[in-house]
Amino acid sequence: MTPAHHLAARFGRALDSDPDTLRSCAQDFGHIVHGTPLGVLRPRSAAEIKDLLVFAGPRGIPVSVRGGGHSMYGQGQADGGIVLDLRAMKEAGPVTEDHVTVQAGASWRDVLAATLPYGRTPPVLTDYLGAGVGGVLSAGGLGGAGHRHGLVADQVLELEVVTGAGEHRVCSPDRDPELFHAVLAGLGQCAVIVAATLRVVPAPARIRRYCLHYADLTRYLADQRRLAEEQRFTYLEGQARPADGNGWQYMIEAVAPHDGPCPPDDDALLAGLAHDPVALETEDLLFGEFAHRVDTDEEVLRETGEWLHPHPWLNLLLPRDTAESVVRAVLDDPAFHDLRDTGLVLLYPLLSGRLRAPLFRRPSGQVLYLLALLRTAPPGSPETVAEMVAANRAAYELARSQGAVAYPVNALPMSDADWRDHYGSRWPAFADAKRRHDPHGVLARGHGLRF
């Protein structure tokens, strides 16, 4: 029998093979790569996930996991296989003073909805709260509190998973640590995350948001580094924005907690910085308002239809010593000129010592910068999209020659050699974990990793 017949015989009506469903799961937020699955399974328990993997593994049927569906380049697709749609598994709670357990299909909106009534929040949140918990933990997860607390994945205390071999396991830094560290920032290669127990901390009642403006990239990067190292703010990000002519200007976005009757000390927080004081912007917000700030942007993009356009995004982690030269070269490249009109450029610092997940690759040195080139292509223009993906490749090659690495959630084709270079000395251990936990190699083939 064919794989389709095997699956139909085993799972029957539980396997959704409606053409509309298959078309939906054949694409992702990137809208660039398309891979049509044989069917979609919507489990409500770890037992159902285990059942599928026990069946699919020996038959070589690819299995991918879909939560928010926000991959860029087919990473969450299963061409000719099965998509596990985890959105029914979205419970969050109970919440204690120091942790919360959430299912992998929950979004970060769901997590905050559970924790904020108790005055708690995960220490690090992604900017976009519509992303799924399992997907973010599989990638590592970056956010504005990363300079203080590391990755989103670094806040995980325990994981419940089903391995590619169909084993239902619970792991933590002290219980089965090898599996635990192979799953976090492991791109879904070894196991399906079922649930995660996350550390939580007190959430401030209010925050003060500062926007500091710079005309000079050198001063901007120096002040970002200083603020990251001195830990003045609880949240620290920033952007490059188009200036008059063909130039660029820069904006540091920083947040301080605002609890009680005494506001933050602006003079102390901004002392010694080289920003333009005349252009300083401040805003006081409830913490929940700030955390959900991107929701409005999503609503606008959905209304205009741009949410469904191709998104050839590229995320690079740059070492401090070469960050300025790489940023200048990429932003001056005519192939990225569209960033001036329809894109968003994030540029902010992280501290390597805070990024603890072993499989999360980062450049050498203590200070690094995320350069995120978030572009939107016009619909119905595959030639333009191909050119933008080619530009991503050229930028990646340039940055890699200067010691950078990719944050691997990109619209970027990666060869076997690229992946081995990316993981470096970690590659043999990662490959060994893949062989042991997914012996049939059916999980997460959309990333293009071949062990």
Side-chain angles (χ1 to χ4, degrees), residues 375-401:
R375 302 198 283 171
T376 300
S381 54
E383 298 84 2
T384 300
V385 173
E387 291 171 357
M388 295 170 82
V389 172
N392 284 353
R393 180 71 204 189
Y396 170 64
E397 295 286 2
L398 167 68
R400 185 165 62 167
S401 72

Side-chain angles (χ1 to χ4, degrees), residues 39-385:
V40 177
L41 197 67
R42 299 182 181 89
R44 294 183 176 272
S45 68
E48 292 178 62
I49 298 172
K50 176 179 179 177
D51 193 23
L52 173 65
L53 287 170
V54 167
F55 181 85
R59 293 166 178 83
I61 299 172
V63 176
S64 73
V65 179
R66 187 181 181 95
H70 293 105
S71 59
M72 295 294 144
Y73 205 62
Q75 291 94 337
Q77 296 174 20
D79 192 21
I82 299 301
V83 171
L84 275 172
D85 184 342
L86 296 187
R87 286 177 295 176
M89 300 180 66
K90 60 178 184 179
E91 292 183 8
V95 180
T96 73
E97 288 190 356
D98 59 6
H99 69 267
V100 60
T101 298
V102 299
Q103 290 185 310
S107 71
W108 293 96
R109 288 192 190 111
D110 297 325
V111 176
L112 272 188
T115 62
L116 279 185
Y118 296 90
R120 295 293 186 271
T121 178
V124 186
L125 290 166
T126 58
D127 290 337
Y128 176 59
L129 297 180
V133 166
V136 170
L137 297 182
S138 294
L142 299 176
H147 69 292
R148 282 186 168 225
H149 300 289
L151 304 168
V152 178
D154 292 330
Q155 316 314 314
V156 177
L157 303 175
E158 185 177 85
L159 289 171
E160 179 186 359
V161 305
V162 177
T163 70
E167 296 177 340
H168 184 196
R169 308 261 286 270
V170 174
C171 55
S172 71
D174 300 316
R175 178 182 179 182
D176 206 349
E178 181 274 328
L179 178 59
F180 182 79
H181 293 304
V183 173
L184 293 176
L187 304 181
Q189 294 298 316
C190 293
V192 175
I193 299 175
V194 175
T197 299
L198 308 169
R199 186 165 69 95
V200 295
V201 296
R206 302 178 65 84
I207 61 93
R208 177 163 291 176
R209 177 177 178 260
Y210 300 82
C211 293
L212 316 178
H213 295 273
Y214 295 75
D216 181 73
L217 176 59
T218 303
R219 292 181 177 180
Y220 169 84
L221 293 174
D223 276 1
Q224 281 209 326
R225 180 179 71 248
R226 178 177 182 177
L227 292 176
E229 292 175 334
E230 294 180 0
Q231 307 276 289
R232 295 190 199 182
F233 294 97
T234 57
Y235 171 100
L236 179 62
E237 287 197 7
Q239 299 177 19
R241 295 175 167 180
D244 293 338
N246 290 317
W248 292 83
Q249 54 192 350
Y250 309 91
M251 185 272 288
I252 290 177
E253 182 185 22
V255 164
H258 190 343
D259 290 318
C262 297
D265 185 340
D266 296 347
D267 291 338
L269 287 170
L270 303 178
L273 301 179
H275 67 102
D276 178 0
V278 176
L280 172 66
E281 302 172 63
T282 62
E283 181 181 25
D284 291 332
L285 298 167
L286 295 173
F287 174 77
E289 291 177 318
F290 175 72
H292 286 275
R293 65 198 179 282
V294 179
D295 291 0
T296 301
D297 297 331
E298 178 183 352
E299 292 172 4
V300 171
L301 292 174
R302 286 189 182 276
E303 288 175 2
T304 63
E306 291 177 74
W307 192 261
L308 299 178
H309 292 185
H311 298 102
W313 289 8
L314 179 66
N315 296 265
L316 301 169
L317 296 167
L318 313 177
R320 167 187 166 182
D321 292 346
T322 59
E324 183 172 343
S325 63
V326 171
V327 170
R328 290 189 187 280
V330 172
L331 295 185
D332 289 343
D333 187 342
F336 287 94
H337 188 79
D338 59 283
L339 281 168
R340 304 184 63 84
D341 300 318
T342 62
L344 175 66
V345 180
L346 300 180
L347 179 59
Y348 63 85
L350 296 161
L351 300 180
S352 183
R354 308 277 172 155
L355 311 176
R356 300 184 295 279
L359 284 179
F360 185 83
R361 311 313 298 149
R362 80 288 314 258
S364 61
Q366 174 59 14
V367 179
L368 55 129
Y369 294 88
L370 171 70
L371 174 63
L373 308 170
L374 312 183
R375 302 198 283 171
T376 300
S381 54
E383 298 84 2
T384 300
V385 173

